[in-house]
């Protein structure tokens, strides 16, 4: 193990040294370590050093030395060497599992780089605010993917501490979210649709039978507080101004939990009308309550944005949202 500590220390001192020779040596070691991954995978597959060397395209002594160095670095044997009865150790089985994951990741990185170089395929990272429901977007993304078949869309949940500045940082290509009060001049913001804030309740709830619900009627039922709602303060302030003090009995930053809690019981909540997705959850307008929000898609402005994300944004802006 002392030998292992020495290797780690050498790597650290090389990383802090700026000589070109040290950098070359460090890159050589990294190349060797990547080879070790494939060497060991082939050895785990065959349990035979000669066969593994043949699969790896190296000599048997070279593969044996690489595996021994790997065992020294990891601090234990990876394979019981017993002729035809050779088998992986417990450490060897664990290492094989992790190395196979690494190979999958490496292949994915290689595919992405090749596709980028050839202009064949691009993965677009799109962040969606957690309060924006998926119902409106399934058909849109299906049509958008048909229009731009060279892309793959990877959806992310926009975290509470994130906003459109994360687009400028390069973390996301676009954000689907309620329009921010402070516009960012470096972003193109395309409006998609507007939606009201309404009462959410179970389909069997007493208020579900009414076309319009009075504000004072809400006080008769347990209220669920949606902690991630961007308009939470405005909602509570509206009812406070009308002497309607909402007393939450349950609070959550999980939209799915809030909606299922409401759909399965007598509790109620206030939510955007298009975000109701839980089975059995219905919405009703509230008398005198006119709060609305606009959902937009934001991308980096100008030619710095990938042409594919600009195409998606244009399709979204022109889409016939129901």
């Amino acid at each position: 193990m002392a030998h292992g500590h020495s290797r780690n220390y050498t790597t650290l001192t090389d990383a802090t040294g700026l000589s070109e020779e040290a950098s070359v040596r460090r890159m050589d070691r990294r190349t060797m370590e990547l080879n070790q991954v494939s060497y060991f995978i082939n050895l785990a597959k065959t349990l035979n050093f000669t066969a593994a060397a043949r699969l790896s395209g190296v000599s048997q002594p070279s593969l044996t030395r690489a595996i021994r160095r790997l065992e020294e670095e990891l601090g234990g044997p990876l394979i019981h060497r017993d002729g035809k009865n050779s088998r992986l150790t417990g450490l060897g089985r664990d290492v094989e599992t992790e190395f196979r994951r690494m190979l999958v990741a490496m292949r994915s990185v290689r595919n992405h780089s090749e596709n980028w170089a050839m202009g064949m395929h691009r993965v677009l990272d799109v962040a969606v605010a957690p309060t924006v429901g998926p119902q409106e977007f399934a058909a849109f993304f299906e049509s958008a993917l048909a229009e731009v078949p060279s892309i793959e869309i990877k959806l992310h949940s926009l975290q509470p501490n994130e906003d459109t500045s994360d687009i400028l940082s390069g973390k996301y290509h676009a954000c689907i979210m309620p329009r921010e009060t402070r516009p960012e001049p470096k972003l193109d913001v395309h409006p998609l649709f507007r939606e009201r804030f309404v009462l959410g309740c179970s389909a069997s709830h007493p208020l579900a039978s009414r076309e319009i619900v009075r504000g004072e009627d809400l006080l008769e039922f347990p209220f669920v507080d949606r902690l991630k709602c961007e308009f939470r303060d405005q909602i509570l302030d509206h009812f406070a101004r009308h002497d309607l003090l909402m007393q939450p009995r349950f609070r959550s930053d999980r939209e799915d939990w809030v909606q299922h809690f409401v759909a399965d019981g007598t509790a109620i909540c206030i939510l955007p009308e298009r975000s109701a997705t839980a089975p059995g959850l219905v919405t009703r307008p509230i008398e005198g309550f006119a709060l609305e929000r606009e959902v937009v898609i934001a991308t980096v402005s100008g030619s710095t944005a990938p042409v594919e994300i600009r195409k998606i944004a244009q399709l979204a802006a022109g889409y016939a949202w129901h």
Side-chain angles (χ1 to χ4, degrees):
M1 291 301 292
H3 181 62
H5 286 297
S6 174
R7 290 177 65 87
N8 290 337
Y9 178 75
T10 301
T11 300
L12 290 173
T13 53
D14 284 344
T16 56
L18 299 179
S19 71
E20 183 177 353
E21 182 180 354
S23 298
V24 171
R25 287 200 306 271
R26 187 165 71 251
M27 290 304 295
D28 287 343
R29 279 197 297 275
R30 287 176 179 170
T31 302
M32 182 272 293
E33 290 167 357
L34 291 176
N35 287 338
Q36 283 177 324
V37 173
S38 59
Y39 293 171
F40 180 72
I41 290 296
N42 289 334
L43 180 60
K45 184 189 304 182
T46 62
L47 297 177
N48 181 283
F49 281 83
T50 302
R54 189 180 304 114
L55 283 175
S56 302
V58 297
S59 67
Q60 187 267 328
S62 295
L63 183 133
T64 300
R65 285 194 298 270
I67 297 300
R68 283 176 179 166
R69 284 195 296 269
L70 183 60
E71 290 176 324
E72 290 173 3
E73 292 171 5
L74 297 178
L78 300 175
I79 185 169
H80 291 299
R81 295 163 173 82
D82 190 15
K84 294 183 178 180
N85 295 319
S86 295
R87 62 193 184 281
L88 295 180
T89 64
L91 175 61
R93 289 192 295 271
D94 290 341
V95 169
E96 180 191 14
T97 299
E98 295 305 319
F99 277 7
R100 289 192 181 278
R101 290 175 182 167
M102 289 173 60
L103 285 179
V104 171
M106 289 160 56
R107 281 196 294 268
S108 177
V109 170
R110 189 175 296 111
N111 288 337
H112 284 312
S113 64
E114 291 174 353
N115 288 334
W116 269 70
M118 299 174 64
M120 292 173 54
H121 182 78
R122 171 163 290 184
V123 177
L124 299 179
D125 291 285
V126 179
V128 183
T131 61
V132 176
Q135 262 182 323
E136 295 291 333
F137 291 91
F140 164 70
F141 280 124
E142 183 178 359
S143 64
L145 289 171
E147 286 275 344
V148 193
S150 62
I151 65 167
E152 171 189 333
I153 295 176
K154 187 176 182 181
L155 293 179
H156 306 264
S157 179
L158 197 64
Q159 300 303 307
N161 60 336
E162 294 178 326
D163 54 25
T164 48
S165 63
D166 288 280
I167 304 176
L168 297 174
S169 72
K171 185 175 183 180
Y172 303 122
H173 293 103
C175 285
I176 296 173
M177 60 193 300
R179 182 185 290 274
E180 294 182 330
T181 54
R182 295 181 179 180
E184 169 54 63
K186 296 181 180 180
L187 296 177
D188 285 333
V189 178
H190 302 272
L192 304 183
F193 53 80
R194 300 187 67 85
E195 58 182 342
R196 301 173 298 172
F197 281 84
V198 293
L199 166 73
C201 64
S202 167
S204 59
H205 193 280
L207 296 180
S209 61
R210 305 183 186 182
E211 292 187 5
I212 300 179
V213 177
R214 299 181 306 168
E216 54 266 31
D217 294 334
L218 306 181
L219 299 180
E220 301 177 20
F221 304 97
F223 177 66
V224 181
D225 192 1
R226 299 169 53 249
L227 295 178
K228 278 192 176 179
C229 178
E230 302 88 349
F231 292 86
R232 178 172 175 266
D233 291 339
Q234 292 95 313
I235 292 171
L236 297 178
D237 287 345
H238 168 85
F239 290 111
R241 289 195 304 270
H242 290 77
D243 296 325
L244 302 172
L245 185 60
M246 308 296 285
Q247 296 286 354
R249 300 296 304 277
F250 183 78
R251 305 174 189 265
S252 178
D253 60 3
R254 288 278 301 269
E255 284 290 308
D256 53 347
W257 279 62
V258 168
Q259 293 197 23
H260 279 82
F261 193 90
V262 171
D264 289 345
T266 59
I268 59 173
C269 69
I270 309 297
L271 78 170
E273 59 187 330
R274 296 172 184 247
S275 68
T277 58
L281 180 67
V282 299
T283 61
R284 296 292 182 268
I286 302 171
E287 187 178 59
F289 185 56
L291 184 63
E292 289 186 338
R293 73 173 185 180
E294 185 176 39
V295 175
V296 302
I297 182 170
T299 64
V300 175
S301 61
S303 59
T304 55
V307 64
E308 294 88 351
I309 197 63
R310 282 183 278 154
K311 177 66 173 178
I312 295 298
Q314 292 169 0
L315 290 172
Y319 187 72
W321 301 97
H322 297 298

